Amino acid sequence: YDQLALEVFSRLEAVPESVELHAWRAQLAHSRNRDLEAVGEWRAALKLSPGNSRLEAELATSLFLAHDYSAAISMIETQMKGNAKSPDLNFMMGESLLRIERAEHAVPYLETALQVNPNMLPAHASLGLSLAKLNRDRDAIPHLERALELDDDGALHYQLSRAYQQVGNRARADAMM
């Protein structure tokens, strides 16, 4: 099977450059958690098919996953022109803004994502973190609580503990720590 796979890959490498080839390579890179490589492939595909909204959406997602938030923001803005209520786009925009230290701008996008999809736990986490950065701890608490099951590194528990501490609930703060 390995030999057959190598033969297939060598044949694919000989295929002339095309949108489909770049898209396949981008998806392969993404499946291997190589999102920067995926970004390059989506950009190459867009050179062959400028203005292709599907390719632009894929590029925006890959930029976001590669943590290139500044570049992702401009791509997401373009995507949002046609779909301003998309919970995924609003989440990616809000999370990107939070990551570049613009929490005050992130809040409306994250709130919109949650209005459309109230069960989007990553949006709850990002909104809670954004509100906490803005010293709106009382507002942050329910969102942080809702997203605790996503906490794989303790950051949400820590932020929730700080929020409880800020609102004077020492017992809950201690429990979160």
Side-chain angles (χ1 to χ4, degrees):
Y1 290 114
D2 288 342
Q3 183 61 34
L4 286 173
L6 287 173
E7 287 177 30
V8 168
F9 285 122
S10 66
R11 286 184 187 166
L12 283 172
E13 292 301 320
V15 171
E17 185 177 34
S18 68
V19 170
E20 294 77 15
L21 180 61
H22 287 294
W24 176 79
R25 286 178 179 162
Q27 291 164 351
L28 182 62
H30 172 70
S31 72
R32 294 178 174 169
N33 294 320
R34 295 178 173 171
D35 292 302
L36 282 177
E37 286 180 32
V39 165
E41 293 297 337
W42 291 122
R43 284 185 172 144
L46 272 167
K47 283 182 184 175
L48 298 173
S49 182
N52 182 316
S53 61
R54 182 187 69 83
L55 298 176
E56 288 173 348
E58 294 288 358
L59 175 57
T61 301
S62 289
L63 286 165
F64 175 78
L65 293 172
H67 307 286
D68 188 349
Y69 299 112
S70 296
I73 287 170
S74 65
M75 293 298 301
I76 295 166
E77 283 174 339
T78 301
Q79 293 295 303
M80 289 185 79
K81 289 177 185 171
N83 196 0
K85 293 293 183 183
S86 165
D88 294 330
L89 292 173
N90 276 283
F91 165 69
M92 287 193 301
M93 178 63 86
E95 175 71 11
S96 296
L97 289 165
L98 171 62
R99 296 296 182 130
I100 63 167
E101 302 296 324
R102 293 178 56 199
E104 68 280 1
H105 298 288
V107 170
Y109 291 103
L110 296 167
E111 288 175 336
T112 299
L114 289 170
Q115 286 170 359
V116 178
N117 183 355
N119 297 318
M120 184 182 267
L121 295 182
H124 279 288
S126 295
L127 181 56
L129 293 170
S130 295
L131 293 168
K133 279 190 180 279
L134 298 171
N135 296 317
R136 293 175 52 192
D137 297 293
R138 193 168 306 284
D139 296 330
I141 289 171
H143 296 288
L144 293 170
E145 287 176 333
R146 185 101 186 256
L148 278 180
E149 69 185 70
L150 299 179
D151 192 10
D152 58 357
D153 65 358
L156 292 177
H157 282 82
Y158 174 76
Q159 192 58 56
L160 184 55
S161 174
R162 291 195 64 220
Y164 279 133
Q165 201 168 26
Q166 291 300 104
V167 300
N169 191 337
R170 188 80 176 153
R172 291 291 293 159
D174 291 344
M176 281 300 114
M177 288 305 281

